[in-house]
């Protein structure tokens, strides 16, 4: 998994499991989440990032010195390990201290990565809860990050599991084209805000009906937008040109929806489709 922030690989945690938080340094089963300490541990995290993202030499990567500087200046760097083995993280996440124009401070989570063979096992959830615990301990109540709107597993985890809210779409946030496994894909990103003091509410069930990609439908005052459940499979089946057209259509639909609504959910309705729910913005 990589939850974008700079990510773009599938997220591991679309399990819908909203079980209790695990504090930093606590173990769940054979997993333990700890603060990352020392250059070697930080280099191991950078190596895991390159592996999960499928980075090419020209794509660049993480610098352990950057991670050390972030951690020493208000940022958070945590990793998940199997038992006491601190040499090989199976996932990690980092965030840095950020500030709104009005002066409000929050954590911006730039990256959350889970090894491919451990995705879907709750590792990403433990990492996000560790970030939450550290953020609250610092007296802050909000974490923000970015993710690719068409990565519906990420979307479900961010919105339905954690209770984040999408308020902004940033077209081409990282330039015209992604890197690593996302080479050739645009870098449109949703910004999601996670209010750490608010539990994730359960949105209404989605209507049972047929869906087509890019469809926008009303459900009372809510807006529903259908997206292929697996973008990579949809792209392989329909071709690059067709997916580019769909991307453009979804960008327009999301942008229009966010002028009056907030994204609160993304759930799979069939094997092929997931549907976003946008609710009216509060007055």
């Amino acid at each position: 998994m990589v939850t974008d922030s700079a990510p773009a690989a599938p997220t591991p945690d679309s399990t819908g499991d909203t079980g209790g938080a695990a504090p930093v340094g606590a173990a769940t089963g054979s997993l333990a989440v700890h603060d990352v300490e020392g250059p070697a541990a930080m280099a191991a995290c950078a190596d895991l990032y390159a592996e999960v993202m499928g980075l090419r030499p020209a794509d660049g990567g993480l610098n352990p010195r950057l991670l050390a500087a972030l951690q020493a200046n208000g940022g958070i760097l945590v990793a998940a390990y199997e038992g006491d083995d601190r040499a090989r993280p199976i996932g990690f996440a980092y965030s840095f201290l950020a500030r709104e124009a009005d002066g409000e401070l929050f954590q911006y989570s730039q990256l959350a990565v889970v090894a491919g063979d451990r995705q879907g096992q709750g590792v990403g959830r433990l990492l996000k809860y560790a970030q939450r615990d550290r953020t609250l301990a610092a007296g802050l109540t909000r974490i923000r990050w970015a993710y690719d709107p068409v990565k519906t597993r990420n979307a479900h985890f961010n919105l339905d599991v954690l209770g984040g809210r999408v308020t902004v779409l940033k077209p081409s946030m990282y330039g015209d084209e992604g890197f690593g496994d996302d080479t050739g894909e645009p870098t449109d990103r949703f910004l999601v805000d996670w209010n750490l003091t608010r539990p994730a509410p359960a949105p209404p069930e989605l209507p049972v009906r047929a869906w087509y990609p890019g469809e926008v439908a009303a459900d009372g005052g809510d807006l529903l937008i259908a997206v292929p459940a697996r973008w990579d499979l949809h792209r392989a089946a329909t071709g690059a040109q067709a997916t580019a057209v769909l991307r453009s259509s979804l960008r327009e639909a999301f942008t229009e929806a966010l002028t009056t609504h907030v994204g609160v959910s993304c759930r799979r309705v069939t094997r092929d489709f997931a549907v976003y729910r946008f609710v009216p913005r509060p007055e």
Side-chain angles (χ1 to χ4, degrees):
M1 138 199 172
V2 183
T3 73
D4 185 78
S5 306
T11 307
D13 296 294
S14 305
T15 60
D17 184 351
T18 56
V24 175
T28 299
S30 64
L31 297 181
V33 180
H34 299 280
D35 293 316
V36 179
E37 298 178 354
M42 292 178 185
C45 289
D47 289 343
L48 178 62
Y49 170 66
E51 175 188 332
V52 173
M53 288 296 296
L55 297 184
R56 304 166 302 183
D59 290 330
L62 281 180
N63 186 328
R65 293 190 295 273
L66 172 63
L67 296 178
L70 289 171
Q71 188 184 58
N73 292 279
I76 297 168
L77 176 59
V78 293
Y81 301 92
E82 285 280 11
D84 296 326
D85 183 3
R86 300 285 193 93
R88 294 175 295 178
I90 61 171
F92 79 98
Y94 79 84
S95 61
F96 54 83
L97 192 62
R99 183 175 64 184
E100 295 282 20
D102 63 6
E104 180 192 357
L105 297 177
F106 61 95
Q107 284 285 324
Y108 187 87
S109 182
Q110 177 63 20
L111 197 65
V113 175
V114 175
D117 62 351
R118 299 308 303 265
Q119 294 182 10
Q121 300 175 29
V123 179
R125 177 164 38 89
L126 292 179
L127 291 170
K128 296 308 288 187
Y129 282 141
Q131 285 186 311
R132 183 194 68 177
D133 292 344
R134 281 301 199 210
T135 300
L136 288 171
L140 305 180
T141 60
R142 184 160 59 92
I143 301 176
R144 174 181 294 165
W145 62 93
Y147 76 94
D148 187 340
V150 302
K151 300 297 176 69
T152 61
R153 293 185 66 195
N154 284 15
H156 175 71
F157 176 62
N158 294 338
L159 305 182
D160 296 281
V161 177
L162 295 180
R165 295 291 177 265
V166 169
T167 58
V168 176
L169 173 68
K170 292 283 190 181
S172 302
M173 182 170 174
Y174 299 116
D176 293 335
E177 182 180 319
F179 57 90
D181 291 339
D182 280 342
T183 298
E185 284 286 332
T187 65
D188 296 348
R189 295 294 186 263
F190 273 157
L191 293 184
V192 57
D193 281 282
W194 185 19
N195 182 335
L196 307 180
T197 66
R198 180 186 62 200
E205 291 298 320
L206 291 163
V208 178
R209 46 164 293 183
W211 297 90
Y212 63 86
E215 179 181 7
V216 180
D219 185 28
D222 297 354
L223 295 175
L224 308 177
I225 300 179
V227 181
R230 286 284 305 273
W231 188 259
D232 55 339
L233 298 182
H234 183 80
R235 180 175 56 193
T238 63
Q241 184 174 354
T243 52
V245 170
L246 178 57
R247 271 270 195 184
S248 178
S249 175
L250 287 169
R251 179 188 299 140
E252 293 178 5
F254 289 143
T255 299
E256 183 173 353
L258 288 170
T259 61
T260 54
H261 288 63
V262 175
V264 300
S265 175
C266 183
R267 294 186 174 184
R268 183 172 289 198
V269 289
T270 67
R271 188 182 73 171
D272 298 323
F273 292 105
V275 174
Y276 274 97
R277 180 180 290 274
F278 294 82
V279 302
R281 288 180 181 265
E283 296 294 337

